[in-house]
Amino acid sequence: MLNFLNKSCANTITLMNIIFGSFSLICTVHGDFTNAAIFIILAVVMDGLDGKVARKLDIMSLFGKELDSLCDLVSFGVAPAILIYMQVLDPLIYSLGIIVAVFYIVCGAFRLARFNVLNISDFFVGIPITLAGSLVALVSLLAAWLPGTLILVIILLLAILMISNFKVPKF
Amino acid sequence: MLNFLNKSCANTITLMNIIFGSFSLICTVHGDFTNAAIFIILAVVMDGLDGKVARKLDIMSLFGKELDSLCDLVSFGVAPAILIYMQVLDPLIYSLGIIVAVFYIVCGAFRLARFNVLNISDFFVGIPITLAGSLVALVSLLAAWLPGTLILVIILLLAILMISNFKVPKF
């Protein structure tokens, strides 16, 4: 019973991650880019908390792992890509903006599927999607002071780094 | 080598699913709801084709399975929810529309995580997200002839049916 409650607690935090990711998308479609970025950062906090709770309570369930990846794709793949597309890439160069945004989402999905299959516990292969999503949210908040083409290059670079074989240590 | 090529072929079709799902989102944010719905239907076609190719070539890899779920969440969870939110739910009742759209995404993620863990091959538990997403796309195409409140109820019902214990036979 206690184990069930603990698992439910961790899964509820995971669901808060996707809820904040979805709120970010809703803010983006209404043109409220600042709150869209803030919701991505709140999803990052939930993702970190969720991992901490699961490790502390020693309850890494298979269901929790699957749910976590799915939520991560929405909050750190889809939400940041659509946010930066609407805010910067679309006004910049229409078609190229679509390609870069969709490429970022595809790389995010690839990164998460590979992570689940590799199951390496010492380091990450390719930068984690949570890190990429946080950086896109940060870029979005600083967008007024950055050149559009630089933002385009950053998004492209983050997408490539996610699917790269670059080893990132776990902390 | 042939096995690698076959797997790459199936995974490429899976990626076409998420690419069409992402295109649907891009169309939605530009207010092009008809093409957004059509892209979801194209993603359904890719999802069906992908399964057929994998079964025919007998190449159901773990990576392919993980990638498939992630792509399904974007194309049949996030894309239909944001489409119907922008087209119908937001103009109808702002806050309730947000709750229903986000609830649909959360239920979609829950449904996919449970499917991957249960691993039942004879039937589905809860209606598949592909079916729910197709129906939302259909509702979107017929939205001009349907009352908004009926659409709201349909989306809510589809979300609940995804996480229900309702058994759906596999064909």
Side-chain angles (χ1 to χ4, degrees):
Chain A
M1 182 66 187
L2 191 68
N3 192 264
F4 171 77
L5 283 175
N6 285 341
K7 274 187 186 169
S8 300
C9 169
N11 291 337
T12 305
I13 300 172
T14 308
L15 289 179
M16 284 309 295
N17 167 353
I18 198 172
I19 289 170
F20 285 143
S22 305
F23 280 168
S24 167
L25 275 164
I26 300 277
C27 288
T28 294
V29 297
H30 285 293
D32 180 359
F33 304 132
T34 306
N35 279 324
I38 290 171
F39 273 124
I40 292 170
I41 293 165
L42 286 175
V44 174
V45 174
M46 286 300 134
D47 192 51
L49 201 66
D50 155 29
K52 271 206 172 66
V53 168
R55 273 190 299 275
K56 189 147 190 153
L57 301 174
D58 200 19
I59 42 157
M60 295 288 274
S61 73
L62 188 58
F63 176 81
K65 193 183 151 198
E66 291 287 340
L67 191 64
D68 199 46
S69 288
L70 290 159
C71 296
D72 285 357
L73 182 61
V74 176
S75 301
F76 314 124
V78 180
I82 300 298
L83 163 61
I84 214 74
Y85 169 76
M86 281 293 282
Q87 186 186 10
V88 182
L89 303 185
D90 180 44
L92 187 72
I93 314 161
Y94 186 77
S95 313
L96 191 61
I98 294 180
I99 294 169
V100 172
V102 173
F103 181 66
Y104 178 90
I105 297 174
V106 170
C107 290
F110 185 93
R111 167 70 179 75
L112 285 163
R114 187 176 62 173
F115 173 78
N116 282 354
V117 173
L118 285 180
N119 228 344
I120 299 168
S121 58
D122 303 337
F123 55 87
F124 294 111
V125 182
I127 67 162
I129 192 168
T130 317
L131 177 62
S134 317
L135 292 174
V136 178
L138 194 69
V139 164
S140 161
L141 290 171
L142 300 172
W145 298 278
L146 298 172
T149 40
L150 175 66
I151 295 178
L152 186 100
V153 172
I154 291 173
I155 306 304
L156 201 60
L157 205 68
L158 287 173
I160 293 168
L161 282 173
M162 279 196 284
I163 58 166
S164 70
N165 290 323
F166 193 73
K167 285 182 188 172
V168 181
K170 278 190 176 178
F171 296 106
Chain B
M1 181 67 188
L2 191 67
N3 192 265
F4 171 78
L5 283 175
N6 285 340
K7 275 187 186 168
S8 301
C9 170
N11 291 336
T12 306
I13 300 171
T14 308
L15 289 180
M16 285 308 295
N17 167 353
I18 197 172
I19 289 170
F20 285 144
S22 306
F23 280 167
S24 168
L25 274 164
I26 300 276
C27 288
T28 294
V29 297
H30 285 293
D32 181 359
F33 304 132
T34 307
N35 279 324
I38 290 170
F39 273 124
I40 292 170
I41 293 164
L42 285 175
V44 174
V45 174
M46 286 301 133
D47 192 51
L49 200 66
D50 155 30
K52 270 202 173 67
V53 168
R55 275 191 298 276
K56 189 147 189 154
L57 300 175
D58 199 19
I59 42 157
M60 296 287 275
S61 72
L62 188 60
F63 175 80
K65 193 181 151 198
E66 291 287 340
L67 191 64
D68 199 45
S69 288
L70 291 159
C71 296
D72 285 357
L73 182 61
V74 176
S75 301
F76 314 123
V78 180
I82 301 297
L83 163 61
I84 214 74
Y85 168 75
M86 281 293 282
Q87 186 186 9
V88 181
L89 304 184
D90 180 45
L92 186 73
I93 315 160
Y94 186 77
S95 311
L96 190 62
I98 293 180
I99 295 169
V100 173
V102 173
F103 181 66
Y104 178 91
I105 296 174
V106 170
C107 290
F110 185 93
R111 167 69 178 77
L112 285 163
R114 187 175 62 172
F115 173 77
N116 281 353
V117 173
L118 285 180
N119 229 342
I120 299 168
S121 57
D122 303 337
F123 55 87
F124 294 112
V125 182
I127 68 163
I129 193 169
T130 316
L131 177 61
S134 315
L135 291 173
V136 178
L138 194 69
V139 164
S140 161
L141 290 171
L142 301 172
W145 298 279
L146 298 172
T149 41
L150 174 67
I151 295 179
L152 186 102
V153 172
I154 291 173
I155 306 304
L156 201 59
L157 204 68
L158 288 173
I160 293 167
L161 281 173
M162 278 196 284
I163 58 165
S164 70
N165 290 324
F166 193 73
K167 283 182 188 172
V168 182
K170 277 191 177 180
F171 296 105

